[in-house]
Amino acid sequence: MKETPLSNCERRFLLRAIEEKKRLDGRQTYDYRNIKISFGTDYGCCIVELGKTRVLGQVSCELVSPKLNRATEGILFFNLELSQMAAPAFEPGRQSDLLVKLNRLLERCLRNSKCIDTESLCVVAGEKVWQIRVDLHLLNHDGNIIDAASIAAIVALCHFRRPDVSVQGDEVTLYTLEERDPVPLSIHHMPICVSFAFFQQGTYLLVDPNEREERVMDGLLVIAMNKHREICTIQSSGGIMLLKDQVLRCSKIAGVKVAEITELIQKALANDQKVRKEGGKFGFAESIANQRITAFRMEKAPIDTSDVEEKAEEIISEAEPPSEVVSKPVLWTPGTAQIGEGIENSWGDLEDSEKEDEDEGGSDEAIILDSIKMDTGEVSNIGSQDAPIVLSDSEEEEMIILEPDKNPKKIRTQTISATQVKAPSKKPVKKRKKKRAAN
Amino acid sequence: MEGVMQTETKIRAESGIESGPRGPGCSLRNFACEQNLLSRPDGSASFLQGDTSVLAGVYGPAEVKVSKEIFNKATLEVTLRPKIGLPGVAEKSRERLIRNTCEAVVLGALHPRTSITVVLQVVSDAGSLLACCLNAACMALVDAGVPMRALFCGVTCALDSDGTLLLDPTAKQEKEARAVLTFALDSVERKLLMSTTKGLYSDAELQQCLAAAQAASQHVFRFYRESLQRRYSKS
């Protein structure tokens, strides 16, 4: 589905509002939207909501062999996915420019800033290291994906616990969650991206642009910073020229915003940890706002299954008894076997057996071939002449097989079946009716 | 499958609310659902069954690609996204099962030459994932206001090694089970829309599971009803 284009009057309206220092959602120039962080039941799973933008983060780990040139370092892997759920314009399975740009920025922000101690992820140098994989799924796109994604990534990494391992000599033991408490990753600092949107060639600036504002902006400046006011990444896109003062001012704002967000993250993490320690309820079920009328819950519901057995028996007794035929393999010649009633192969020639039906007064169509030799000869024969192979009616044929007592066997020679193949086809339904009438 | 379809028609509709002795395994975990939580899709729902959670978004009826256009009905697409990694064969197979179920109830003929897209995102998997996906898809379709012949729900049953029946199993129970059966049932006649099974079981056990699933479906549909009643209530 295509994105609905923004009309000219909408664009003018938005720009005019920005010129008047007004934002459609009532925020001030430097205001962030509300950030909500909720955690799942597993370690390393979180949902970050930035206003209506929503990102799901999940960290997982795996033991792999390290890269050749980095024998003692663990591997970090980031993958942001723009699901179609987030916006109709995101097509599944397509690497759009936006996606590549976001993934690259995320890698620069989190991997290249060395916020995770990769050396602590080494188990056996040159042989086994941990690969930490961060999957981020955009669930709803309302602008400023990168900020939400970077928060989700760092929160998920902080929340994640990897299984403990011990090395004794050459032996590496991996402990399950029950055996030993999993260990958290060692995180040096928390880089967080802050986006600045520029309008009218850099005259106006907005923090945390929403989707509408992103559509009318001229340029974007993303600054990744940690709470120690160290810049981890800076990227300007959209082709606007910024003055030195503007960049400095932006970095100052970013410092303030990052401090606020870091505090929020730490509070959320501490809260979750406390709940887990106390054995309280945690997970997404707890984060659903109960007072909303769109949300509803039901407690554990017992279900009476005492009458299930009787019901099942009733149905089975009412149902037609299953066929008593047990397929016994028939050995024609050594090295071959045939299962079933000895009916001709139903894959290749269904319709012709029907023709045979008519020829013989519709009595029956169970056929046995004389010998395997003939059979093989026939197959090659058919293959060479013409083989309109019909596979569709196999169901119908199966049903006939299941009625064993109605099938007196008939012997047929290969010449008949060869002519049958060319015979005009008829609906197999007719055949069944006829057979019923005959019986 | 064919045998199921034949015998299935003979199952009578359930009536009344059950009471009496209850097995420990025969209960549904706590359910929770939130609708309309995403702003971009036309309809969305998050469905939780215990710790299993699925988020669903629905777009439609909307513009369709010419290559996918069907002249007399709506094109239904279902995408299921796993939490870790890229979608594989298991997801494709589930997508197909869900799509077939949705196609059976969605009145696509009312919106010819349009597309209805259901996007499902696994948020956490703690057993009975397919059933949860089906429930989330149904609630999202309801939220999007897509016309449907009936509602549907998914119920998973597990049979453990000594033949005990468990409803709505957790991941651990599913792993230990001898057979895991998932059914989709409609709300009007309580009939089978889809079934998928894994493992060994006898025909009697299949019928038992189906009967148990029907009993469980009543609870799920009651949950749907109460949830929608709350949503459209004035207070």
Side-chain angles (χ1 to χ4, degrees), chain A residues 323-332 337-346 366-369 397-398 400-404 407 409:
Chain A
S323 104
E324 280 149 32
V325 173
V326 180
S327 51
K328 288 187 198 110
V330 185
L331 256 155
W332 292 100
Q338 181 187 325
I339 308 170
E341 275 290 277
I343 298 173
E344 205 176 333
N345 175 14
S346 64
I367 292 141
I368 267 197
L369 291 171
E397 189 69 16
E398 264 173 50
I400 294 157
I401 298 165
L402 288 172
E403 296 164 61
N407 289 349
K409 289 166 190 173

Side-chain angles (χ1 to χ4, degrees), chain A residues 2-59:
Chain A
K2 278 177 215 131
E3 191 84 53
T4 326
L6 203 65
S7 65
N8 284 340
C9 44
E10 262 182 298
R11 180 180 298 272
R12 273 201 302 272
F13 170 71
L14 280 164
L15 287 171
R16 185 87 155 272
I18 290 160
E19 277 170 33
E20 288 171 19
K21 305 266 179 205
K22 284 189 180 113
R23 292 175 88 167
L24 277 186
D25 42 15
R27 281 185 286 161
Q28 296 297 312
T29 314
Y30 302 137
D31 284 356
Y32 250 86
R33 288 170 286 178
N34 281 336
I35 299 172
K36 189 185 161 199
I37 300 166
S38 43
F39 296 98
T41 38
D42 327 341
Y43 283 119
C45 178
C46 71
I47 290 183
V48 170
E49 289 167 54
L50 177 63
K52 282 176 185 161
T53 300
R54 206 181 267 245
V55 178
L56 167 71
Q58 170 71 56
V59 180

Side-chain angles (χ1 to χ4, degrees), chain A residues 1-3 41-42 45 47 52 54 56-60 79 81-89 91-93 133 135 137-142 211 215 281-309 311-316 318-320 322 395 398-399, chain B residues 2 6-7 10-12 14 18-23 26-41 46 48 50-51 53 55-57 59 62-63 65 79 81-86 115 117 119-125 165 167 203-204 207-209 211-212 214-216 219-220 223 226-227 230-233 235:
Chain A
M1 241 187 332
K2 278 177 215 131
E3 191 84 53
T41 38
D42 327 341
C45 178
I47 290 183
K52 282 176 185 161
R54 206 181 267 245
L56 167 71
Q58 170 71 56
V59 180
S60 50
N79 183 34
E81 298 232 14
L82 303 178
S83 160
Q84 209 191 354
M85 193 189 282
E91 278 173 48
R133 185 190 167 98
D135 280 284
H137 300 271
L138 183 67
L139 303 175
N140 197 41
H141 173 33
D142 193 34
E211 200 254 344
R215 281 201 191 191
K281 286 182 182 173
F282 54 89
F284 291 124
E286 298 311 306
S287 58
I288 283 190
N290 233 355
Q291 63 278 11
R292 275 194 204 157
I293 63 164
T294 51
F296 187 68
R297 300 161 186 250
M298 180 177 78
E299 287 310 306
K300 204 169 166 178
I303 285 171
D304 179 27
T305 48
S306 52
D307 59 339
V308 160
E309 274 178 49
K311 214 171 267 171
E313 269 167 33
E314 198 180 305
I315 290 156
I316 289 164
E318 272 178 37
E320 286 168 37
E395 238 183 37
E398 264 173 50
M399 294 193 62
Chain B
E2 193 147 73
Q6 277 179 352
T7 50
K10 284 167 192 144
I11 297 170
R12 294 164 309 155
E14 302 251 330
E18 51 283 72
S19 60
R22 283 149 185 173
C26 285
S27 64
L28 298 172
R29 290 176 286 178
N30 49 337
F31 277 35
C33 174
E34 185 175 359
Q35 282 186 310
N36 206 3
L37 69 166
L38 304 179
S39 66
R40 296 300 294 270
S46 143
L48 291 104
D51 289 334
S53 167
L55 187 65
Y59 289 98
E63 177 194 347
K65 267 192 200 160
T79 32
R81 307 185 62 87
K83 194 155 72 150
I84 298 166
L86 297 168
S115 80
T117 314
V119 190
L120 296 158
Q121 171 72 54
V122 178
V123 177
S124 65
D125 178 10
L165 200 155
L167 277 168
D203 51 352
Q207 292 302 338
Q208 282 177 16
C209 287
Q214 281 183 319
H219 280 266
V220 183
F223 173 76
E226 283 172 19
S227 150
R230 178 183 158 106
R231 183 168 167 200
Y232 292 109
S233 63
S235 54

Side-chain angles (χ1 to χ4, degrees), chain A residues 66-92:
Chain A
K67 286 176 185 163
L68 287 173
N69 53 348
R70 295 253 194 282
T72 58
E73 282 184 22
I75 301 165
L76 271 174
F77 184 79
F78 295 93
N79 183 34
L80 171 67
E81 298 232 14
L82 303 178
S83 160
Q84 209 191 354
M85 193 189 282
F90 296 145
E91 278 173 48

Side-chain angles (χ1 to χ4, degrees), chain B residues 143-171:
Chain B
D143 186 39
V146 175
M148 290 197 277
R149 188 172 59 75
L151 300 183
F152 61 93
C153 78
V155 180
T156 301
C157 305
L159 289 162
D160 67 10
S161 46
D162 39 287
T164 323
L165 200 155
L166 292 165
L167 277 168
D168 198 15
T170 59

Side-chain angles (χ1 to χ4, degrees), chain A residues 244-316:
Chain A
K244 194 176 89 186
D245 289 350
Q246 274 176 316
V247 178
L248 282 173
R249 196 172 61 149
C250 285
S251 72
K252 261 182 205 148
I253 300 165
V256 177
K257 292 294 160 199
V258 164
E260 284 172 17
I261 294 166
T262 311
E263 200 181 332
L264 187 88
I265 291 172
Q266 271 159 352
K267 220 180 259 172
L269 282 166
N271 198 20
D272 181 71
Q273 209 162 19
K274 195 178 126 205
V275 172
R276 271 170 203 266
K277 215 175 208 172
E278 287 169 0
K281 286 182 182 173
F282 54 89
F284 291 124
E286 298 311 306
S287 58
I288 283 190
N290 233 355
Q291 63 278 11
R292 275 194 204 157
I293 63 164
T294 51
F296 187 68
R297 300 161 186 250
M298 180 177 78
E299 287 310 306
K300 204 169 166 178
I303 285 171
D304 179 27
T305 48
S306 52
D307 59 339
V308 160
E309 274 178 49
E310 292 113 67
K311 214 171 267 171
E313 269 167 33
E314 198 180 305
I315 290 156
I316 289 164

